[in-house]
Amino acid sequence: MLRRIDVVTLFPDWLEGLKALGLTGRALAEGRILLKCWNPRDFAQGVHRSVDDRPYGGGPGMVMRPEPLARCVEAVLAEGEPAPVGCLTPQGRVVDQTAVQELASRERLILVCGRYEGIDERVMEALVDEEWSIGDYVLSGGEPAAAVLMDAVIRLQPGVLGHQDSAAQDSFADARLDCPHYTRPETWRGQVVPEVLLSGDHARIQRWRLAQAVARTAHRRADLLQERPLSRQERQAMEEFDLAGGAIDQESGLK
Ligand code: 9WO
């Protein structure tokens, strides 16, 4: 279970939203997890406390200087329990729900956020144990990726979600997209809520939600059905609500 997250960032304020709002804000406020930000600028020397410099070999932009960042990471490692040092980069292992569950089971996460054109490679080699990516695009810094990863792992911690089973029902929790959700009013701009959700028949509602999740997955992310073919329960639910539509076969789940 996660007890502590350390984030190395030149922009600690970037994480104020995660710290102050929503499920993550409440989990941190309740002391379930300690989140500590460390700024490499606090470890830079000289009048200007510079944390970046021009790239050797020329080229646009600046590179994060090795010494302040290394001193910062070493200070993080000197405090608390040992943990792998992770860095958010487009080169990293792409984070999916399996990776989130793996990270969420750790006691401590250490996340390094790069800025400028990147981090001096010698720091990556000397101090970074693993790299994580949230997808194949380049951001202006590692902080947005760190926030995504932290949100995903914090919500999996015991007691953070209202209903303990919500995490298990989460979309992607078992290679399925989410079902549609509705709330009041019953009729909104002429569109009504599916009658099954008003029936009070909770078993049937659960089967309808299961069928809807499978149909959505088949339509938008068929690759997930290859990851985990349809269960008998899912196939029966699809047939009950006439959503199979010939799209679902006995084998992999799709024709
Ligand atoms: C920038 C870049 C550009 C082209 C190809 C690879 C690249 N890697 C980086 C990079 O690691 N940049 C550092 C962190 C510093 C500049 C902003 N950073 C960043 C991290 N951009 N995008 C990410 C990122 C992190 C995790 N998942 C997706 C993107």
Short mmCIF file of all heavy atoms in Angstrom, two decimals, residues 159-189:
data_model
loop_
_atom_site.label_atom_id
_atom_site.label_comp_id
_atom_site.label_asym_id
_atom_site.label_seq_id
_atom_site.Cartn_x
_atom_site.Cartn_y
_atom_site.Cartn_z
N GLY A 159 -9.85 2.75 0.93
CA GLY A 159 -10.53 3.83 1.64
C GLY A 159 -10.63 5.12 0.88
O GLY A 159 -11.34 6.05 1.29
N VAL A 160 -9.94 5.23 -0.28
CA VAL A 160 -9.97 6.50 -1.02
C VAL A 160 -11.28 6.64 -1.80
O VAL A 160 -11.89 7.71 -1.83
CB VAL A 160 -8.76 6.60 -1.98
CG1 VAL A 160 -8.90 7.81 -2.90
CG2 VAL A 160 -7.47 6.69 -1.16
N LEU A 161 -11.74 5.56 -2.41
CA LEU A 161 -13.01 5.63 -3.15
C LEU A 161 -14.16 5.36 -2.19
O LEU A 161 -14.05 4.60 -1.25
CB LEU A 161 -13.02 4.57 -4.26
CG LEU A 161 -12.06 4.83 -5.42
CD1 LEU A 161 -12.14 3.69 -6.41
CD2 LEU A 161 -12.41 6.14 -6.11
N GLY A 162 -15.31 5.99 -2.45
CA GLY A 162 -16.46 5.82 -1.56
C GLY A 162 -16.80 4.35 -1.39
O GLY A 162 -16.69 3.79 -0.32
N HIS A 163 -17.15 3.71 -2.50
CA HIS A 163 -17.55 2.30 -2.41
C HIS A 163 -16.30 1.47 -2.68
O HIS A 163 -15.71 1.58 -3.76
CB HIS A 163 -18.63 1.99 -3.46
CG HIS A 163 -19.80 2.92 -3.34
ND1 HIS A 163 -20.67 2.88 -2.26
CD2 HIS A 163 -20.22 3.94 -4.11
CE1 HIS A 163 -21.59 3.83 -2.41
NE2 HIS A 163 -21.35 4.48 -3.51
N GLN A 164 -15.92 0.63 -1.76
CA GLN A 164 -14.67 -0.12 -1.90
C GLN A 164 -14.63 -0.87 -3.22
O GLN A 164 -13.59 -1.05 -3.82
CB GLN A 164 -14.51 -1.08 -0.72
CG GLN A 164 -13.06 -1.38 -0.44
CD GLN A 164 -12.13 -0.19 -0.72
OE1 GLN A 164 -12.43 0.94 -0.44
NE2 GLN A 164 -10.99 -0.42 -1.33
N ASP A 165 -15.82 -1.26 -3.74
CA ASP A 165 -15.76 -2.06 -4.97
C ASP A 165 -15.64 -1.17 -6.21
O ASP A 165 -15.47 -1.65 -7.30
CB ASP A 165 -17.00 -2.95 -5.10
CG ASP A 165 -18.29 -2.12 -5.06
OD1 ASP A 165 -18.17 -0.86 -5.01
OD2 ASP A 165 -19.37 -2.70 -5.06
N SER A 166 -15.68 0.16 -6.04
CA SER A 166 -15.63 1.02 -7.23
C SER A 166 -14.36 0.77 -8.03
O SER A 166 -14.37 0.72 -9.25
CB SER A 166 -15.68 2.49 -6.82
OG SER A 166 -16.93 2.75 -6.24
N ALA A 167 -13.24 0.64 -7.31
CA ALA A 167 -11.97 0.45 -8.03
C ALA A 167 -12.05 -0.81 -8.88
O ALA A 167 -11.62 -0.83 -10.02
CB ALA A 167 -10.82 0.38 -7.04
N ALA A 168 -12.66 -1.84 -8.31
CA ALA A 168 -12.75 -3.10 -9.06
C ALA A 168 -13.67 -2.90 -10.27
O ALA A 168 -13.46 -3.45 -11.34
CB ALA A 168 -13.31 -4.18 -8.15
N GLN A 169 -14.71 -2.04 -10.12
CA GLN A 169 -15.64 -1.83 -11.24
C GLN A 169 -15.08 -0.84 -12.25
O GLN A 169 -15.62 -0.70 -13.33
CB GLN A 169 -16.96 -1.25 -10.70
CG GLN A 169 -17.85 -2.27 -10.00
CD GLN A 169 -19.10 -1.59 -9.45
OE1 GLN A 169 -19.25 -0.38 -9.54
NE2 GLN A 169 -19.99 -2.37 -8.86
N ASP A 170 -13.99 -0.15 -11.89
CA ASP A 170 -13.45 0.88 -12.78
C ASP A 170 -13.29 0.33 -14.20
O ASP A 170 -12.89 -0.81 -14.38
CB ASP A 170 -12.06 1.28 -12.29
CG ASP A 170 -12.15 2.49 -11.37
OD1 ASP A 170 -13.26 3.02 -11.22
OD2 ASP A 170 -11.12 2.87 -10.82
N SER A 171 -13.54 1.21 -15.15
CA SER A 171 -13.25 0.79 -16.53
C SER A 171 -11.75 0.55 -16.61
O SER A 171 -10.98 1.12 -15.87
CB SER A 171 -13.65 1.91 -17.48
OG SER A 171 -12.64 2.90 -17.49
N PHE A 172 -11.34 -0.33 -17.47
CA PHE A 172 -9.94 -0.76 -17.61
C PHE A 172 -9.51 -1.64 -16.45
O PHE A 172 -8.47 -2.28 -16.53
CB PHE A 172 -8.97 0.44 -17.70
CG PHE A 172 -9.04 1.15 -19.01
CD1 PHE A 172 -9.65 2.37 -19.12
CD2 PHE A 172 -8.51 0.58 -20.16
CE1 PHE A 172 -9.75 3.03 -20.34
CE2 PHE A 172 -8.59 1.22 -21.37
CZ PHE A 172 -9.21 2.46 -21.46
N ALA A 173 -10.28 -1.64 -15.34
CA ALA A 173 -9.84 -2.47 -14.21
C ALA A 173 -9.72 -3.91 -14.70
O ALA A 173 -8.86 -4.66 -14.26
CB ALA A 173 -10.83 -2.39 -13.07
N ASP A 174 -10.62 -4.34 -15.64
CA ASP A 174 -10.47 -5.71 -16.16
C ASP A 174 -10.65 -5.68 -17.68
O ASP A 174 -11.39 -6.45 -18.26
CB ASP A 174 -11.51 -6.62 -15.51
CG ASP A 174 -12.92 -6.20 -15.91
OD1 ASP A 174 -13.05 -5.10 -16.50
OD2 ASP A 174 -13.86 -6.97 -15.69
N ALA A 175 -9.96 -4.76 -18.31
CA ALA A 175 -9.93 -4.67 -19.78
C ALA A 175 -11.31 -4.40 -20.39
O ALA A 175 -11.68 -4.98 -21.39
CB ALA A 175 -9.33 -5.95 -20.37
N ARG A 176 -12.08 -3.56 -19.74
CA ARG A 176 -13.38 -3.15 -20.30
C ARG A 176 -13.56 -1.64 -20.14
O ARG A 176 -13.09 -1.05 -19.15
CB ARG A 176 -14.52 -3.86 -19.55
CG ARG A 176 -14.54 -5.37 -19.74
CD ARG A 176 -14.90 -5.77 -21.14
NE ARG A 176 -15.01 -7.23 -21.30
CZ ARG A 176 -14.01 -8.01 -21.69
NH1 ARG A 176 -12.81 -7.46 -21.96
NH2 ARG A 176 -14.17 -9.32 -21.82
N LEU A 177 -14.21 -1.01 -21.09
CA LEU A 177 -14.57 0.40 -20.95
C LEU A 177 -15.75 0.52 -19.98
O LEU A 177 -16.34 -0.49 -19.61
CB LEU A 177 -14.94 0.98 -22.31
CG LEU A 177 -13.84 0.95 -23.39
CD1 LEU A 177 -14.32 1.64 -24.65
CD2 LEU A 177 -12.57 1.59 -22.87
N ASP A 178 -16.09 1.73 -19.63
CA ASP A 178 -17.14 1.97 -18.64
C ASP A 178 -18.51 1.94 -19.32
O ASP A 178 -18.63 2.16 -20.53
CB ASP A 178 -16.92 3.36 -18.01
CG ASP A 178 -17.50 3.44 -16.61
OD1 ASP A 178 -18.09 2.43 -16.16
OD2 ASP A 178 -17.36 4.50 -15.99
N CYS A 179 -19.53 1.65 -18.50
CA CYS A 179 -20.90 1.74 -19.01
C CYS A 179 -21.34 3.21 -18.99
O CYS A 179 -20.70 4.03 -18.32
CB CYS A 179 -21.83 0.90 -18.13
SG CYS A 179 -21.91 1.48 -16.43
N PRO A 180 -22.46 3.55 -19.68
CA PRO A 180 -22.98 4.94 -19.61
C PRO A 180 -23.55 5.24 -18.23
O PRO A 180 -23.97 4.32 -17.52
CB PRO A 180 -24.11 4.93 -20.66
CG PRO A 180 -24.04 3.65 -21.37
CD PRO A 180 -23.26 2.69 -20.55
N HIS A 181 -23.51 6.51 -17.85
CA HIS A 181 -24.05 6.92 -16.54
C HIS A 181 -25.12 7.97 -16.76
O HIS A 181 -25.03 8.78 -17.70
CB HIS A 181 -22.93 7.49 -15.67
CG HIS A 181 -21.85 6.49 -15.37
ND1 HIS A 181 -21.98 5.51 -14.40
CD2 HIS A 181 -20.65 6.26 -15.96
CE1 HIS A 181 -20.89 4.75 -14.40
NE2 HIS A 181 -20.07 5.18 -15.33
N TYR A 182 -26.13 8.01 -15.88
CA TYR A 182 -27.23 8.98 -15.97
C TYR A 182 -27.57 9.47 -14.57
O TYR A 182 -27.41 8.76 -13.59
CB TYR A 182 -28.48 8.33 -16.58
CG TYR A 182 -28.29 7.78 -17.98
CD1 TYR A 182 -27.75 6.52 -18.18
CD2 TYR A 182 -28.64 8.53 -19.09
CE1 TYR A 182 -27.57 6.02 -19.46
CE2 TYR A 182 -28.46 8.04 -20.39
CZ TYR A 182 -27.92 6.78 -20.56
OH TYR A 182 -27.73 6.28 -21.83
N THR A 183 -28.07 10.71 -14.51
CA THR A 183 -28.62 11.22 -13.26
C THR A 183 -29.80 12.14 -13.59
O THR A 183 -30.17 12.30 -14.76
CB THR A 183 -27.53 11.93 -12.43
OG1 THR A 183 -28.06 12.25 -11.13
CG2 THR A 183 -27.09 13.21 -13.10
N ARG A 184 -30.39 12.75 -12.54
CA ARG A 184 -31.60 13.59 -12.79
C ARG A 184 -31.24 14.76 -13.71
O ARG A 184 -30.12 15.26 -13.68
CB ARG A 184 -32.12 14.09 -11.44
CG ARG A 184 -32.78 12.98 -10.63
CD ARG A 184 -33.24 13.45 -9.27
NE ARG A 184 -32.09 13.85 -8.42
CZ ARG A 184 -32.25 14.18 -7.13
NH1 ARG A 184 -33.45 14.20 -6.59
NH2 ARG A 184 -31.21 14.50 -6.40
N PRO A 185 -32.20 15.21 -14.52
CA PRO A 185 -33.62 14.83 -14.57
C PRO A 185 -33.86 13.56 -15.39
O PRO A 185 -32.99 13.22 -16.22
CB PRO A 185 -34.28 16.04 -15.24
CG PRO A 185 -33.23 16.57 -16.15
CD PRO A 185 -31.92 16.34 -15.43
N GLU A 186 -34.97 12.92 -15.26
CA GLU A 186 -35.29 11.72 -16.02
C GLU A 186 -35.36 12.02 -17.52
O GLU A 186 -34.97 11.21 -18.34
CB GLU A 186 -36.65 11.17 -15.56
CG GLU A 186 -36.63 9.78 -15.01
CD GLU A 186 -37.99 9.32 -14.60
OE1 GLU A 186 -38.74 8.91 -15.51
OE2 GLU A 186 -38.30 9.41 -13.40
N THR A 187 -35.90 13.20 -17.86
CA THR A 187 -35.93 13.61 -19.27
C THR A 187 -35.15 14.90 -19.39
O THR A 187 -35.39 15.87 -18.66
CB THR A 187 -37.39 13.83 -19.76
OG1 THR A 187 -38.11 12.61 -19.59
CG2 THR A 187 -37.39 14.23 -21.24
N TRP A 188 -34.19 14.90 -20.26
CA TRP A 188 -33.33 16.08 -20.43
C TRP A 188 -33.27 16.42 -21.91
O TRP A 188 -32.85 15.61 -22.73
CB TRP A 188 -31.93 15.82 -19.89
CG TRP A 188 -31.00 16.97 -20.08
CD1 TRP A 188 -30.99 18.16 -19.40
CD2 TRP A 188 -29.96 17.06 -21.08
NE1 TRP A 188 -30.01 18.98 -19.87
CE2 TRP A 188 -29.36 18.34 -20.92
CE3 TRP A 188 -29.50 16.22 -22.07
CZ2 TRP A 188 -28.31 18.77 -21.71
CZ3 TRP A 188 -28.45 16.63 -22.86
CH2 TRP A 188 -27.86 17.91 -22.68
N ARG A 189 -33.82 17.60 -22.26
CA ARG A 189 -33.89 18.05 -23.66
C ARG A 189 -34.47 16.94 -24.54
O ARG A 189 -33.97 16.63 -25.62
CB ARG A 189 -32.49 18.44 -24.15
CG ARG A 189 -31.94 19.65 -23.42
CD ARG A 189 -30.65 20.15 -24.02
NE ARG A 189 -30.09 21.26 -23.22
CZ ARG A 189 -28.95 21.88 -23.48
NH1 ARG A 189 -28.22 21.50 -24.55
NH2 ARG A 189 -28.51 22.85 -22.70
#
